[in-house]
């Protein structure tokens, strides 16, 4: 009797040809999760060092091919990259373990910090800690612009795509999906037409020196039937809770609003937390009233100082939303449930995208137009992060910001007299530490936090 696809995949997971038992992979993924500080650039670098250089599970070409696909997807590319490689190594179970472990430390840490924030964040030394964090985060975002830019902007065409993306967002507030779709179309058409500046390596190079080699698990053979079977459980885990909350609690309930809003974000958050933060902050502050203007920066400061994807900041937003509108529940219980709900609907789609799309992407290795589209998207993300860096600078260094609007433009202009001098000093020190003296992100954030606490103790800041 011939074994079916599901049996073949389970056999491949149990006895992988590459010789890495699943139990050994779990230990490696735990190590990756524990070291996943520094945002996507740092997390991807850690995975490359461990998985490519040290363990030699996959080749550099295979790693970059997977990364380019994950950059195209909405959501955190580092977490999706871990899921992708876990799937390549040990099938669906391997992908779930790799992706799940990657976010687990961040879930626990952000939840603990959120409790501290609502209990102590507006008083005492903790307020000073977050004051210093907000100033240092500006340096981290600028550092991300430079690091990603060096990798993505290899010629004038890529620089032009990044610049156009920045101007579209900063001056015209263009929809983010439109910016990304336009970049992808330019990259695809240009590479297909043979323009050298848009042609990139296909990622199909030699992989004989890696354990995985040039093949993967049985799941890497795409078909329509397999795609349906892969998508169904993840769609149910994602959308059934949203539907139940809507039916049982009503559309206006805060938990329903959290489920629907962050489900929408999961479908459009290309570029990770940096790209989505400005939009989420605007909606959370002005649309729903979940946050006060400076609190999104506090949340990003938490995400920057803990392991896991920066998109974990959305857990903090969900936490604060339910804390301020708990209904009949105790505020902290409602906040905890709201934070976990935001995390659930944010990350369930990430597994869906990988398990549905990865087999087809593996089959398309060597497709030059697709690689051109992925490369152009990466360039556009640089412009997105630059837009966010300016947004951070305005809202961190100034207490008052005015919006200037015309028929075509909408700009946030800081009021010079409202400058925060100590925030300016701390941000400048953090920038000097990271750019001039090559100090790591975690020490920089720690020192700025301590400085903020000291300023509060001395009475220099409120």
């Amino acid at each position: 009797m011939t074994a079916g696809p599901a049996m073949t995949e389970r056999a491949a997971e149990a006895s992988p040809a590459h010789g890495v038992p699943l139990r050994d992979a779990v230990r490696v993924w735990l190590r990756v999760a524990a070291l996943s500080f520094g945002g996507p650039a740092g997390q991807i670098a850690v995975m490359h060092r461990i998985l490519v250089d040290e363990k030699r599970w996959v080749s550099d070409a295979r790693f970059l091919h997977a990364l380019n696909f994950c950059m195209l997807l909405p959501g955190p590319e580092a977490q999706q990259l871990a899921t992708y490689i876990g799937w390549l190594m040990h099938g669906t179970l391997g992908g779930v373990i790799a992706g799940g472990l990657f976010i687990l430390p961040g879930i626990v840490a952000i939840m603990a910090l959120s409790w501290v924030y609502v209990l102590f964040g507006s008083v005492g030394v903790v307020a000073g800690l977050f004051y210093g964090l907000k100033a240092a985060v500006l340096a981290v975002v600028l550092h991300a612009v430079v690091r990603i830019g060096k990798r993505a902007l290899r010629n004038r065409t890529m620089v032009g795509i990044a610049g156009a993306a920045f101007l579209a967002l900063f001056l015209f507030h263009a929809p983010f999906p439109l910016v990304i779709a336009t970049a992808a179309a330019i990259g695809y058409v240009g590479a297909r037409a043979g323009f050298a500046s848009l042609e990139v390596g296909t990622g199909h190079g030699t992989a004989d020196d890696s354990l995985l080699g040039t093949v993967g698990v049985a799941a890497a053979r795409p078909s329509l039937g397999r795609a349906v079977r892969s998508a169904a459980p993840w769609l149910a885990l994602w959308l059934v809770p949203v539907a139940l909350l809507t039916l049982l609690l009503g559309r206006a309930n805060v938990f329903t609003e959290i489920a629907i809003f962050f489900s929408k974000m999961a479908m459009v958050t290309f570029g990770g937390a940096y790209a989505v933060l400005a939009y989420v902050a605007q909606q959370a502050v002005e649309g729903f009233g979940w946050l006060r203007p400076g609190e999104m920066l506090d949340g990003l400061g938490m995400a920057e100082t803990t392991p896991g994807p920066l998109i974990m900041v959305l857990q903090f937003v969900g936490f604060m939303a339910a804390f301020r509108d708990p209904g009949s529940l105790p505020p902290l219980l409602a906040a905890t449930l709201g934070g976990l709900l935001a995390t659930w609907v944010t990350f369930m789609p990430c597994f869906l995208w990988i398990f549905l799309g990865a087999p087809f992407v593996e089959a398309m290795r060597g497709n030059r137009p697709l690689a051109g589209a992925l490369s152009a998207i990466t360039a556009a993300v640089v412009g997105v992060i630059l837009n966010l860096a300016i947004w951070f600078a305005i809202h961190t260094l100034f207490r008052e910001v005015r919006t200037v609007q015309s028929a075509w433009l909408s700009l946030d202009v800081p009021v010079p007299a409202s400058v925060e001098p100590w925030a300016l000093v701390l941000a400048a020190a953090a920038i000097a530490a990271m750019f001039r003296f090559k100090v790591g992100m975690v020490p920089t954030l720690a020192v700025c936090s301590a400085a903020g606490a000291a300023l509060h103790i001395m009475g220099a800041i409120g």
Side-chain angles (χ1 to χ4, degrees):
M1 183 176 178
T2 303
M7 294 178 61
T8 303
E9 181 175 340
R10 286 195 294 271
E13 293 173 3
S15 304
H18 49 68
V20 180
L22 183 59
R23 62 179 180 275
D24 292 348
V26 170
R27 288 193 288 268
V28 173
W29 290 118
L30 280 170
R31 181 183 168 199
V32 169
L35 296 174
S36 61
F37 291 90
Q43 292 158 0
I44 291 167
V46 166
M47 275 192 279
H48 188 275
R49 187 179 74 241
I50 294 176
L51 305 180
V52 177
D53 297 335
E54 180 182 327
K55 298 297 181 180
R56 307 190 73 82
W57 283 2
V58 295
S59 67
D60 185 69
R62 199 76 173 269
F63 183 92
L64 293 176
H65 180 73
L67 174 59
N68 282 337
F69 170 59
C70 295
M71 290 291 291
L72 177 63
L73 298 174
E77 60 267 32
Q79 187 267 347
Q80 290 167 334
L81 179 61
T83 305
Y84 192 118
I85 296 178
W87 168 81
L88 276 179
M89 296 295 292
H90 296 97
T92 301
L93 179 60
V96 171
I97 290 173
L101 288 178
F102 192 86
I103 62 176
L104 182 60
I107 292 174
V108 175
I110 294 294
M111 185 61 68
L113 287 174
S114 297
W115 273 65
V116 170
Y117 186 81
V118 298
L119 292 175
F120 309 107
S122 60
V123 296
V125 176
V126 176
L129 288 172
F130 283 109
Y131 183 92
L133 268 180
K134 286 191 290 186
V137 164
L138 176 58
V140 174
V141 176
L142 290 173
H143 199 251
V145 174
V146 174
R147 292 187 65 175
I148 297 175
K150 287 181 178 179
R151 184 179 73 224
L153 309 182
R154 299 181 302 274
N155 54 56
R156 292 182 179 179
T157 300
M158 295 303 177
V159 172
I161 292 173
F166 167 74
L167 293 175
L169 293 166
F170 183 73
L171 295 180
F172 303 105
H173 290 192
F176 182 79
L178 176 61
V179 173
I180 292 297
T182 301
I186 292 172
Y188 182 89
V189 173
R192 188 177 182 87
F195 289 100
S197 60
L198 289 167
E199 289 185 344
V200 297
T202 62
H204 189 73
T206 303
D208 294 340
D209 59 344
S210 68
L211 293 179
L212 190 62
T214 59
V215 297
V217 295
R221 292 195 294 268
S223 69
L224 180 59
R226 188 185 297 277
V228 172
R229 290 192 298 272
S230 297
W234 298 102
L235 275 172
L237 287 170
W238 173 20
L239 297 179
V240 169
V242 178
L244 289 176
L245 286 170
T246 304
L247 290 173
L248 297 176
L249 301 180
R251 182 64 179 82
N253 184 272
V254 67
F255 291 104
T256 305
E257 290 179 335
I258 290 171
I260 293 176
F261 178 70
F262 289 114
S263 290
K264 292 178 180 178
M265 290 302 95
M267 293 185 287
V268 300
T269 53
F270 298 91
Y274 287 130
V276 73
L277 179 60
Y279 178 74
V280 171
Q282 180 184 19
Q283 294 300 311
V285 174
E286 301 174 6
F288 294 101
W290 291 341
L291 299 179
R292 300 185 181 98
E295 289 179 337
M296 181 59 103
L297 295 177
D298 296 336
L300 187 66
M302 296 179 194
E304 289 283 8
T305 55
T306 54
L310 298 179
I311 203 73
M312 289 303 304
V313 67
L314 300 186
Q315 177 176 294
F316 171 75
V317 178
F319 183 97
M320 295 301 298
F323 180 78
R324 292 202 164 110
D325 186 12
S328 61
L329 296 175
L332 283 174
L333 174 59
T336 301
L337 294 175
L340 293 176
L341 175 61
T343 301
W344 181 270
V345 297
T346 295
F347 285 99
M348 278 302 111
C350 295
F351 292 100
L352 169 64
W353 311 142
I354 294 299
F355 296 137
L356 178 62
F360 295 94
V361 172
E362 281 294 301
M364 294 178 68
R365 282 190 300 137
N367 186 299
R368 193 170 295 275
L370 176 62
L374 299 178
S375 181
I377 288 172
T378 304
V381 167
V382 177
V384 174
I385 299 174
L386 178 59
N387 176 63
L388 179 60
I390 295 176
W391 185 88
F392 270 148
I394 292 173
H395 289 84
T396 300
L397 304 179
F398 297 88
R399 294 187 300 274
E400 185 177 351
V401 179
R402 295 174 181 170
T403 300
V404 178
Q405 291 184 325
S406 68
W408 294 96
L409 304 180
S410 178
L411 293 175
D412 289 336
V413 179
V415 178
S418 69
V419 66
E420 287 274 5
W422 284 113
L424 184 62
V425 170
L426 290 176
I431 291 171
M434 296 189 70
F435 283 88
R436 175 66 178 84
F437 300 104
K438 310 300 181 184
V439 178
M441 184 201 70
V442 173
T444 300
L445 293 174
V447 170
C448 286
S449 298
L455 288 169
H456 177 83
I457 292 172
M458 293 186 298
I461 59 175

